[in-house]
Amino acid sequence: AMQPPRPRPCNPAPLTAPLARAVHAAVRSRAKAQFLTALPGAAQRLKIFSGCDLLTPGSFDAAMAGCDAVMHTASPFALGVR
């Protein structure tokens, strides 16, 4: 069986730019986001927050604390909704 391609960030520049800021990654699963730690600059600027779920109030609070901007790239979806 073919495996889906491993997700890749479209642009790692926020982690490597000379004036880069810290990057908070809000994820549901730390294991699925581990590939982010291999990005250039991740050791210095990336912090992964696991357990974040769009349908759980407050689950993003820690990840968003101290942030100046948010890039939201996920959306909840449900199968079988009529």
Side-chain angles (χ1 to χ4, degrees):
M2 290 181 56
Q3 295 204 1
R6 187 170 150 188
R8 292 180 31 191
C10 61
N11 182 1
L15 294 175
T16 59
L19 299 176
R21 294 182 176 253
V23 174
H24 289 191
V27 300
R28 286 186 290 170
S29 167
R30 180 178 294 278
K32 290 182 179 180
Q34 273 311 112
F35 73 95
L36 295 172
T37 62
L39 292 171
Q44 297 80 24
R45 295 188 173 97
L46 177 65
K47 185 167 183 182
I48 297 174
F49 294 84
S50 61
C52 299
D53 185 324
L54 291 171
L55 302 178
T56 303
S59 67
F60 284 84
D61 291 354
M64 299 300 112
C67 290
D68 295 323
V70 173
M71 292 177 30
H72 184 268
T73 60
S75 180
F77 64 92
L79 301 175
V81 175
R82 295 174 192 237

